Amino acid sequence: MAGGEVDVTKRLDALQARKLLSRILRDREGAVTFWAHALKQMKERDLTAPDVVNTIRCGMVGEGELVNGTWRYRVETDRMGVVVTFLDELEAVVVTAWRKEARGE
């Protein structure tokens, strides 16, 4: 990530992915978009776009996993999980999202 350039076609470690997500959320030109699958899952699970963005903002980022030719990163809080991929340095795409089962219920 030297010089601010990130090659999103290569695996990022969890810290690099966290920094890139934070920059995308902070940058006026940055965008978080949603695949149709994610929107469907969100609707079925009663999740909103702000729920997902807050999970991305506050969650712990896991190591990248190569799926169907794209590197995907799981971002999780105690209550929700999101999987994102990057189209470029300015756009993160939500692949899917879910609500975790409450503990003790």
Side-chain angles (χ1 to χ4, degrees), residues 54-68:
N54 284 335
T55 300
I56 293 169
R57 179 175 283 115
C58 301
M60 295 290 295
V61 178
E63 295 298 322
E65 180 180 345
L66 189 60
V67 178
N68 296 328

Side-chain angles (χ1 to χ4, degrees), residues 19-76:
K19 287 181 179 179
L20 184 54
L21 286 168
S22 295
R23 189 167 65 197
I24 288 169
L25 291 171
R26 191 175 57 240
D27 193 315
R28 296 177 104 202
E29 295 178 19
V32 175
T33 58
F34 299 83
W35 281 356
H37 173 78
L39 293 171
K40 179 178 180 274
Q41 294 296 309
M42 289 164 57
K43 184 175 181 178
E44 289 175 4
R45 296 164 177 166
D46 194 29
L47 297 171
T48 65
D51 290 332
V52 171
V53 170
N54 284 335
T55 300
I56 293 169
R57 179 175 283 115
C58 301
M60 295 290 295
V61 178
E63 295 298 322
E65 180 180 345
L66 189 60
V67 178
N68 296 328
T70 60
W71 287 100
R72 299 183 186 188
Y73 303 86
R74 188 180 283 240
V75 184
E76 295 186 78

